[in-house]
């Protein structure tokens, strides 16, 4: 469904992404791993339209979407979360969720002027949807909490929740589990699996925690120095000498990797 063809992203002379080619299959939960600085986030930024590639192409369902802005991709059902959560701190958790569709549809004031009733209906629908999402994520009790008061892990759950406010097709998660305690990590993992199975979301997730990756992802794609090094099942990846080599000096954050 997503095809990345020989994508480069250079910053001045520096090749952050240096000819990356990969596919993300429909219905998969694809993992993207690699040492710090491998170019994973930069590649996400290119795919999701936050950065223009220096060269190369991105295809979605066979169509060329290279360089389309994030809001256009949003309408195609492509959503992403950011490595650093960016909530509206002074708004409630529920309001944060309600912002997602409103932000993106570019609702014209003109139509709003003529249809206050429609606006009220729309707002009720958004409240319902937000409350469903909070229930799904098991954080209904936080609905009225200011988002700025959430723990780091709860903010990550909120990031995931944002992708559930609309009917997404493919979601890119950048380290949604980083710095999250084991319990919350379990909740996030469960939510990803359920969204994949029950709602047909395709996921591509960047994560450093190999336990988390191994539990959720097949296949796992490994990036190093701006390119795709290899791809395979989590077991294959963890036994691959080239992968271990790429991580030497940084170390996979998991004891399951053979020494
Ligand atoms: N806007 C930018 N200008 C210059 N260099 C950049 C820019 N963005 C990223 N880089 C560099 O590109 C390289 C790849 O960065 P990127 O954030 O994509 O890595 P990453 O694989 O996501 O790493 P991490 O696992 O630490 O998040 C890094 O060396 C980074 O410093
Ligand atoms: Mg990153």
């Amino acid at each position: 469904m997503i095809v990345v063809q020989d994508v480069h992203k250079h910053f001045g002379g520096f090749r952050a992404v240096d000819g990356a080619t990969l596919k993300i299959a429909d219905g998969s939960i694809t993992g993207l791993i690699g040492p710090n600085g491998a170019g994973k986030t930069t590649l996400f930024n290119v795919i999701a339209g936050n950065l223009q590639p220096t060269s190369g192409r991105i295809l979605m369902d066979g169509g060329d979407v290279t360089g389309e802005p994030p809001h256009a991709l949003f309408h195609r059902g492509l959503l992403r979360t950011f490595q650093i959560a960016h909530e509206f701190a002074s708004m409630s958790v529920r309001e944060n969720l309600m912002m997602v569709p409103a932000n993106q549809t570019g609702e014209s004031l003109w139509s709003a002027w003529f249809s206050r009733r429609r606006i009220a209906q729309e707002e009720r629908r958004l409240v319902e949807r937000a409350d469903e999402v909070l229930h799904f994520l098991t954080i209904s009790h936080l609905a009225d909490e200011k988002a700025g008061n959430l723990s780091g892990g709860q903010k990550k759950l909120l990031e995931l929740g944002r992708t559930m406010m609309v009917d997404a097709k493919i979601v890119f998660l950048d380290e949604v589990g980083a710095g999250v305690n084991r319990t919350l990590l379990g909740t996030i993992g469960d939510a990803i699996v359920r969204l994949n199975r029950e709602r047909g979301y395709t996921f591509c997730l960047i994560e450093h925690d190999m336990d988390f990756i191994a539990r959720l992802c097949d296949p796992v794609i490994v990036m190093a120095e701006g390119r795709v090094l290899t791809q395979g099942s989590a077991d294959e990846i963890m036994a691959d000498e080239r992968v271990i080599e790429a991580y030497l000096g940084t170390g996979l954050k998991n004891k399951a990797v053979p020494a």
Side-chain angles (χ1 to χ4, degrees):
M1 122 180 280
I2 293 282
V3 179
V4 172
Q5 282 179 345
D6 196 25
V7 164
H8 288 253
K9 180 65 194 178
H10 303 170
F11 298 109
F14 182 73
R15 297 163 176 247
V17 178
D18 191 20
T21 295
L22 58 89
K23 285 190 182 132
I24 300 164
D26 227 340
S28 70
I29 305 179
T30 297
L32 183 60
I33 69 168
N36 295 118
K40 306 178 298 293
T41 296
T42 306
L43 183 61
F44 263 29
N45 286 335
V46 170
I47 295 172
N50 303 98
L51 285 177
Q52 295 288 327
T54 306
S55 64
R57 293 206 306 165
I58 313 290
L59 308 182
M60 181 173 184
D61 298 332
D64 193 334
V65 296
T66 317
E68 277 194 17
H71 63 86
L73 293 166
F74 181 95
H75 285 291
R76 294 181 186 272
L78 187 154
L79 277 66
R80 61 89 51 94
T81 68
F82 289 88
Q83 190 164 349
I84 297 163
H86 62 317
E87 73 287 347
F88 298 99
S90 62
M91 290 170 64
S92 76
V93 169
R94 183 189 287 114
E95 286 164 346
N96 264 268
L97 290 176
M98 290 171 64
M99 289 294 287
V100 176
N103 253 352
Q104 303 284 346
T105 51
E107 182 90 359
S108 89
L109 275 177
W110 191 243
S111 63
W113 181 264
F114 283 108
S115 181
R116 286 174 189 233
R117 221 173 94 192
R118 204 170 57 73
I119 297 283
Q121 277 171 357
E122 177 70 0
E123 178 147 347
R124 269 198 301 280
R125 205 184 57 76
L126 282 177
V127 170
E128 272 171 28
R129 180 101 185 200
D131 285 346
E132 277 166 28
V133 167
L134 293 172
H135 179 73
F136 187 98
L137 296 175
T138 70
I139 49 172
S140 295
H141 57 290
L142 296 174
D144 297 312
E145 188 67 60
K146 276 198 175 131
N149 293 339
L150 299 183
S151 71
Q154 289 167 339
K155 284 179 187 173
K156 293 294 178 80
L157 265 180
L158 179 57
E159 281 281 298
L160 186 58
R162 294 165 62 85
T163 69
M164 298 166 59
M165 285 301 291
V166 291
D167 294 316
K169 280 204 322 213
I170 179 158
V171 178
F172 290 83
L173 302 174
D174 196 347
E175 300 201 23
V176 79
V180 170
N181 72 43
R182 284 282 134 194
T183 313
L184 270 177
L185 198 59
T187 308
I188 290 173
D190 291 345
I192 292 171
V193 169
R194 276 188 64 195
L195 287 168
N196 175 254
R197 293 203 186 131
E198 295 172 17
R199 301 203 194 166
Y201 280 30
T202 299
F203 282 98
C204 180
L205 47 107
I206 298 176
E207 205 60 60
H208 284 291
D209 184 321
M210 278 306 292
D211 287 331
F212 189 74
I213 287 281
R215 181 187 152 207
L216 296 175
C217 300
D218 190 23
V220 180
I221 297 171
V222 186
M223 275 187 81
E225 298 178 346
R227 293 162 188 248
V228 172
L229 185 65
T230 184
Q231 98 170 49
S233 70
D235 284 344
E236 286 163 358
I237 290 302
M238 285 191 279
D240 190 321
E241 288 294 335
R242 290 168 303 167
V243 177
I244 296 161
E245 182 87 9
Y247 271 98
L248 280 180
T250 47
L252 273 176
K253 289 178 189 163
N254 182 293
K255 287 102 208 152
V257 179

